[in-house]
Amino acid sequence: MDRKRILVVDDEEDICAILKFNLEKVGYDVVTAFSAEEALEMDIPAFDCLLLDIMMGRMSGFEMAAKIKSDPQTERIPIIFLTARGTEEDTVRGLELGADDYISKPFSLKEVLARVKAVLRRAKETEPRVESNGIVIQDGKKKVLVDGREVSLTRTEYDVLKLLKGSPGMVFSRQDILEKVWPDEVIVTERSVDVAIARLRKKIGAYGPRISSRHGFGYCYDEE
């Protein structure tokens, strides 16, 4: 079972330490940051839930939440506000930004643990998936499951699979795939596409032949 990763952002180091200790005690992996700026330097898509203070330094928790919710890569990550600001106006603003819960300080640790558990459960129930024929792409977590088993793909392999499988039956030329998958600053040849496809086919096992080549045109993903 995957351990959920939680990011706690609060400029009060004692609160970060207390939350980290208690959340890890019940099985979560926890990372802390003492400002929104520090937190935004981290790999936000790698976290399953964020606990944000509101009143922090130059950038508030509200501002950080707005950035996260405006980014397609992070917009679905649950956010729980932890704050001393408990007015109705603040609560409404937080929820309008897309927060999943709002807990006023001082808080009960038992309540925080219960809220985190509930938010993660709801997120799992609504997790977007591209699923068919035994392959599941969990885009929020950047994971691929083949017949229920997670397979380890490089970022390039993952992006190629997502591109092809996201438009079944559509033929993408090697140049199309290069432009959509490889960064502009990376110099690669069309042969790199063939190599990535070969590795990908091998890793997805029995579903490898579904990535078919169209001689003279490129590659496509066949559902049947």
Side-chain angles (χ1 to χ4, degrees):
M1 182 178 178
D2 292 337
R3 289 168 62 94
K4 299 298 185 182
R5 301 191 73 225
I6 297 175
L7 174 61
V8 177
V9 187
D10 196 307
D11 58 0
E12 296 184 57
E13 296 185 22
D14 288 347
I15 289 181
C16 285
I18 290 170
L19 289 172
K20 179 178 173 67
F21 175 81
N22 284 276
L23 288 165
E24 289 183 338
K25 192 175 179 182
V26 296
Y28 299 114
D29 286 335
V30 182
V31 176
T32 60
F34 305 133
S35 70
E37 291 86 352
E38 179 187 354
L40 289 172
E41 291 295 318
M42 299 179 181
D43 183 15
I44 299 296
F47 293 99
D48 297 288
C49 181
L50 308 181
L51 273 64
L52 305 183
D53 185 24
I54 290 180
M55 300 299 292
M56 297 184 291
R58 287 176 297 173
M59 181 182 291
S60 71
F62 283 151
E63 292 173 295
M64 179 177 171
K67 284 182 174 291
I68 289 169
K69 293 301 181 180
S70 65
D71 185 340
Q73 284 194 304
T74 56
E75 63 181 352
R76 298 187 70 89
I77 299 176
I79 292 176
I80 300 175
F81 281 122
L82 295 171
T83 179
R85 295 178 57 167
T87 67
E88 181 179 359
E89 181 180 346
D90 289 330
T91 302
V92 170
R93 183 180 177 190
L95 296 175
E96 287 178 344
L97 283 170
D100 294 78
D101 211 337
Y102 197 111
I103 303 174
S104 297
K105 299 177 182 178
F107 49 76
S108 155
L109 286 169
K110 187 175 181 180
E111 178 186 11
V112 172
L113 296 177
R115 299 284 187 95
V116 168
K117 183 177 180 180
V119 164
L120 287 171
R121 184 180 65 248
R122 292 198 300 271
K124 183 177 180 180
E125 291 170 352
T126 59
E127 184 176 70
R129 293 186 174 187
V130 178
E131 180 173 2
S132 65
N133 301 313
I135 294 181
V136 177
I137 298 176
Q138 297 181 335
D139 199 34
K141 295 182 179 180
K142 306 304 177 189
K143 289 183 178 181
V144 172
L145 305 181
V146 176
D147 291 335
R149 178 180 59 86
E150 183 178 352
V151 294
S152 177
L153 302 182
T154 65
R155 178 166 184 167
T156 296
E157 293 161 355
Y158 177 92
D159 288 343
V160 169
L161 178 62
K162 181 182 173 185
L163 173 66
L164 297 179
K165 195 171 185 301
S167 299
M170 180 179 293
V171 178
F172 292 87
S173 70
R174 290 173 175 80
Q175 188 60 38
D176 288 336
I177 297 172
L178 282 175
E179 291 175 358
K180 294 178 184 297
V181 172
W182 272 265
D184 292 337
E185 65 271 15
V186 176
I187 301 175
V188 292
T189 67
E190 292 188 355
R191 176 61 181 158
S192 300
V193 175
D194 298 330
V195 172
I197 293 286
R199 291 198 308 258
L200 180 57
R201 281 171 170 161
K202 185 175 181 179
K203 288 185 178 182
I204 62 176
Y207 302 98
R210 298 197 176 211
I211 300 177
S212 62
S213 58
R214 297 287 191 269
H215 186 65
F217 295 99
Y219 292 98
C220 72
Y221 186 91
D222 295 318
E223 291 288 9
E224 300 298 336

